């Protein structure tokens, strides 16, 4: 028997102002686009802003559906829009902001497993890590330098 220990590196910032200016701006865009979420069922609104290497920013928000599984998270709305609009561009960073209409979201909200899987596909494709930043409403921000820090045992094309 072999035992493996997997480590992930995350950084926690007490406030957005501790981040470099361009990433503060990216998060501000994620916060703003969160208001465009269509979330009548969960009352949980998420905004995502992707920074590309061509300096374009692509935005997304969660879009729900009466047939619940047909809805889509903010992160995948953004990442697929980026893939469709700029198929050759690399994703440098993603900022994610979440807010509930029912209670205060204190802790930073990490992306769901399906969104981590969607994001890692692009990290593998571009052979460069994607920085990820996520927030709730408290001001605290969590940062990881790679999606792999959130999804260490990745399933990708090397398994096929
Ligand atoms: N949601 C996101 O947009 N991103 C995530 O990573 C987690 C969940 C959305 C999906 C659904 O519209 C609502 O939040 C509640 O799950």
């Amino acid at each position: 028997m072999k035992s493996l220990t997997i480590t992930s590196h995350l950084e926690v910032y007490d406030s957005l102002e501790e981040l470099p200016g361009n990433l503060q701006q990216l998060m501000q865009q994620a916060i703003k686009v969160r208001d465009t979420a269509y979330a009548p069922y969960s009352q949980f609104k998420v905004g995502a802003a992707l920074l590309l290497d061509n300096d374009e920013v692509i935005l997304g928000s969660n879009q729900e559906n009466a047939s619940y599984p047909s809805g889509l998270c903010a992160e995948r709305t953004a990442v697929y829009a980026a893939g469709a609009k700029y198929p050759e561009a690399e994703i440098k960073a993603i900022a994610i902001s979440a807010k509930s209409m029912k209670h205060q979201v204190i802790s930073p909200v990490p992306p769901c497993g399906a969104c981590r899987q969607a994001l890692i596909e692009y990290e593998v494709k571009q052979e460069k890590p994607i920085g990820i930043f996520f927030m709730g409403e408290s001001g605290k921000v969590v940062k990881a330098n790679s999606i792999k820090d959130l999804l260490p045992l990745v399933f990708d094309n090397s398994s096929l």
Side-chain angles (χ1 to χ4, degrees), residues 38-39 42-47 61-64 71-75 96 109-113 115:
Y38 175 60
S42 71
Q43 300 289 315
F44 191 80
K45 297 189 167 195
V46 185
S61 58
N62 53 323
Q63 301 296 319
E64 297 185 350
L72 195 62
C73 291
E75 297 88 329
I96 304 160
V109 177
C112 77
C115 288

Side-chain angles (χ1 to χ4, degrees), residues 32-98:
K32 193 166 173 215
V33 75
R34 196 178 65 189
D35 288 337
T36 69
Y38 175 60
Y41 305 106
S42 71
Q43 300 289 315
F44 191 80
K45 297 189 167 195
V46 185
L50 290 183
L51 178 63
L52 305 183
D53 66 345
N54 60 11
D55 288 332
E56 292 286 336
V57 172
I58 303 290
L59 303 174
S61 58
N62 53 323
Q63 301 296 319
E64 297 185 350
N65 194 283
S67 170
Y68 291 2
S70 299
L72 195 62
C73 291
E75 297 88 329
R76 275 175 287 163
T77 303
V79 86
Y80 294 148
K85 191 161 187 203
Y86 298 109
E88 306 306 329
E90 287 172 5
I91 302 167
K92 288 166 86 168
I94 178 168
I96 304 160
S97 162

Side-chain angles (χ1 to χ4, degrees), residues 10 19 52 57 72 84 124 135:
L10 299 173
L19 293 177
L52 305 183
V57 172
L72 195 62
V124 170
M135 281 187 85

Side-chain angles (χ1 to χ4, degrees), residues 120-132:
I120 211 138
E121 180 73 24
Y122 293 88
E123 200 172 277
V124 170
K125 176 188 170 216
Q126 68 189 34
E127 297 177 344
K128 278 193 200 140
I130 299 171
I132 178 161

